[in-house]
Amino acid sequence: MRRFYQESWQGIPFTAFSHISFFHLAEPKFYATFYEELFRRYKDWDDLPSVWRANKRKDARWLAGQLHAKLAQEPGRAGPLRVLSIGSGVGYMEKELLEEMPELELHVNEPSTVGMKWLRRQIPAERIYIGLPPACLPPDVQYDMIYLSTVDYGIPSRELTHLLEELRAQLAPGGELVCLSASLLEEDSFIGSFVNAIKIVIRGILHYLGIRRQQFWGWRRTRDEYRLLFKQAGFSNVEDGWLEDGFETYWIRGQ
């Protein structure tokens, strides 16, 4: 597992709107301020970077394919599939998923209400949960699928294991949890870790000199580390792989 840093997101430099920290993870206030700036610059989903939208569209279609396969295994099913998105962000992937499967009962979660501006057009208020899961989620609702799309990087391993364990308890019988990660660490050798440590020191110096200010963004994890997290959280039938979405997004899922 390695720390990594970020200077901008969606073409918005962090120094343009917020105080950033080299040592501490971005807090909900950071994201709320970021979304305020994003909605000031962009008026709709179609204004977001086209490459990013294409990536998310492919990810949403892949998820839709998994859900269609689940439906095919339940020919006598009564009612739509119920799906929960954890950390839905600006909501573009959720919009695309609903376009692929309009009949889906989609629930969404986001720590800050600010980021829900566009998604509120698509999702009924009673299916929107603001806050940190699992505390903000209704305990009596079960889901056929819960997915986390590029949110795992910002959660420490102990807290992530606990979150996965709690979310597993909210899956319906036969349900599955899917994690899509854009921060996979392909290998973690001693030499690689040593070189990375030196880079962090250099980044820290540049940050405090004001030459290149960066926000501590989270951790990159190896495939083995992801599989261990799922095992520790009690998941079975764990599978993983990569998406052909232009970014080689890593996915892992379990029941």
Side-chain angles (χ1 to χ4, degrees):
M1 192 166 78
R2 295 182 192 171
R3 297 166 66 102
F4 74 104
Y5 301 81
Q6 197 91 345
E7 299 175 61
S8 64
W9 191 23
Q10 300 289 21
I12 302 174
F14 296 153
T15 52
F17 68 88
S18 180
H19 172 72
I20 57 180
S21 173
F22 191 78
F23 291 105
H24 301 288
L25 284 168
E27 298 179 343
K29 183 179 179 181
F30 173 96
Y31 287 100
T33 306
F34 169 81
Y35 282 120
E36 289 174 353
E37 179 66 15
L38 183 143
F39 293 134
R40 186 183 70 81
R41 297 186 182 210
Y42 304 125
K43 302 308 177 185
D44 205 305
W45 282 299
D46 290 340
D47 295 334
L48 296 172
S50 59
V51 174
W52 180 85
R53 283 187 285 118
N55 164 251
K56 292 297 182 181
R57 189 178 305 117
K58 290 177 180 177
D59 292 353
R61 289 174 179 171
W62 179 84
L63 272 179
Q66 306 306 302
L67 292 167
H68 281 303
K70 183 179 286 292
L71 279 174
Q73 297 173 359
E74 304 177 28
R77 180 186 178 90
L81 290 173
R82 181 181 293 141
V83 175
L84 171 63
S85 166
I86 298 292
S88 54
V90 75
Y92 183 74
M93 188 168 168
E94 287 65 36
K95 177 188 83 75
E96 291 293 315
L97 186 57
L98 284 173
E99 288 184 3
E100 291 289 321
M101 301 184 70
E103 73 282 7
L104 199 66
E105 183 184 323
L106 182 61
H107 298 232
V108 297
N109 157 254
E110 177 65 21
S112 170
T113 188
V114 180
M116 293 283 102
K117 181 176 181 179
W118 295 340
L119 200 53
R120 289 186 187 279
R121 309 171 192 167
Q122 308 278 334
I123 308 291
E126 63 271 17
R127 298 180 188 171
I128 297 175
Y129 312 124
I130 303 299
L132 296 176
C136 68
L137 302 177
D140 57 341
V141 178
Q142 291 189 317
Y143 306 93
D144 298 290
M145 177 186 285
I146 298 175
Y147 72 88
L148 302 85
S149 179
T150 62
V151 297
D152 55 284
Y153 64 85
I155 309 175
S157 291
R158 181 177 296 178
E159 285 84 346
L160 182 54
T161 301
H162 175 70
L163 174 61
L164 293 174
E165 188 175 21
E166 292 293 315
L167 293 177
R168 180 176 175 271
Q170 294 204 232
L171 290 173
E176 62 181 355
L177 184 142
V178 180
C179 177
L180 302 178
S181 176
S183 55
L184 180 71
L185 178 61
E186 293 189 7
E187 61 177 354
D188 195 16
S189 64
F190 172 78
I191 294 177
S193 297
F194 178 72
V195 171
N196 187 63
I198 294 175
K199 289 180 178 179
I200 290 176
V201 172
I202 295 173
R203 289 192 184 103
I205 293 171
L206 294 176
H207 176 89
Y208 280 97
L209 289 176
I211 297 173
R212 186 179 177 184
R213 299 184 63 78
Q214 301 180 58
Q215 171 65 45
F216 171 39
W217 205 235
W219 295 271
R220 298 189 188 278
R221 296 180 171 95
T222 65
R223 182 183 182 186
D224 286 343
E225 287 172 326
Y226 278 109
R227 293 183 69 89
L228 179 59
L229 285 169
F230 269 64
K231 180 180 179 181
Q232 291 174 335
F235 284 92
S236 60
N237 300 324
V238 176
E239 299 177 322
D240 63 354
W242 288 263
L243 299 181
E244 296 180 0
D245 59 2
F247 290 89
E248 295 187 354
T249 300
Y250 171 75
W251 62 266
I252 182 169
R253 65 183 177 193
Q255 294 182 327

